[in-house]
Amino acid sequence: AQSVAQPEDQVNVAEGNPLTVKCTYSVSGNPYLFWYVQYPNRGLQFLLKYITGDNLVKGSYGFEAEFNKSQTSFHLKKPSALVSDSALYFCAVHQTGANNLFFGTGTRLTVIP
Amino acid sequence: DTGVSQDPRHKITKRGQNVTFRCDPISEHNRLYWYRQTLGQGPEFLTYFQNEAQLEKSRLLSDRFSAERPKGSFSTLEIQRTEQGDSAMYLCASSWRGSGNTIYFGEGSWLTVV
């Protein structure tokens, strides 16, 4: 069975500071890992994904994520947070042979001006 | 380039009524998904279509729920005899084989059952 854990319901960071949103996963086989962002009353927007290759993945809006196989983690990062980054962030995993993505419960990021 | 389109965006209905949501996927995307999201939760998978074939249904999809995708284009999700527990956002997403398992979501359809 696949699972995704986002241990922090809420992350607060000051504007201009680096941010990290944590995600750990459990799947059978090699994982495909994703980050999505959701703004209020909107659908989910794709940010980035890891399939294979370089452990550091770069995505939209200056976000990046680091895949760590030994720790089964895929943390989302950004060097300098913007107020406009405030949103709900979801980590998701695709397990080999599955037809869908399995999502975590989300982390609400608030960037304080 | 048009994204995934969902209609209506908001629906308020009385308990016991039927509701139907429509999803138009991104052109040429042959895979279509329905998810449900409640407040404070991540999206939960409901069902998956490849072209017109419904290949997977979650246990969340009770007998009151039915989804179709005639001709492999748009899809509809119908909820019969709605209950207050059906209140949620219903998200449609689409993808194609070349998208590397990335799925692209619509803006969602909010359902409130009163």
Side-chain angles (χ1 to χ4, degrees), chain B residues 6-108:
Chain B
Q6 293 190 244
D7 182 70
R9 291 291 315 282
H10 299 90
K11 179 72 176 180
I12 300 174
T13 191
K14 292 183 178 179
R15 188 176 52 186
Q17 297 295 305
N18 299 345
V19 296
T20 300
F21 300 111
R22 176 182 170 122
C23 171
D24 289 89
I26 295 172
S27 298
E28 300 175 356
H29 279 196
N30 65 330
R31 301 174 179 181
L32 188 144
Y33 312 79
W34 285 98
Y35 281 78
R36 181 176 70 185
Q37 185 180 19
T38 54
L39 285 175
Q41 298 297 317
E44 298 172 297
F45 171 73
L46 292 178
T47 191
Y48 161 69
F49 288 86
Q50 185 166 313
N51 300 311
E52 68 277 6
Q54 188 174 20
L55 296 185
E56 187 171 350
K57 292 194 292 185
S58 159
R59 286 175 295 177
L60 293 175
L61 212 66
S62 75
D63 291 344
R64 297 185 297 105
F65 288 69
S66 63
E68 295 182 343
R69 193 183 183 197
K71 302 180 182 179
S73 56
F74 71 93
S75 176
T76 58
L77 177 68
E78 181 183 18
I79 308 173
Q80 297 181 326
R81 306 181 303 281
T82 52
E83 301 173 355
Q84 286 188 324
D86 297 332
S87 296
M89 182 159 70
Y90 291 86
L91 291 160
C92 180
S94 69
S95 72
W96 64 293
R97 184 175 180 175
S99 65
N101 295 304
T102 303
I103 65 175
Y104 298 92
F105 284 87
E107 293 294 305

Side-chain angles (χ1 to χ4, degrees), chain A residues 51-92:
Chain A
I51 303 295
T52 186
D54 194 348
N55 289 342
L56 186 63
V57 179
K58 294 188 182 297
S60 306
Y61 314 120
F63 284 93
E64 56 190 28
E66 186 169 11
F67 171 65
N68 187 315
K69 187 173 183 178
S70 62
Q71 297 185 2
T72 61
S73 68
F74 189 56
H75 300 332
L76 182 70
K77 300 180 180 183
K78 187 173 183 181
S80 179
L82 300 173
V83 173
S84 57
D85 292 330
S86 298
L88 196 52
Y89 290 82
F90 290 97
C91 182

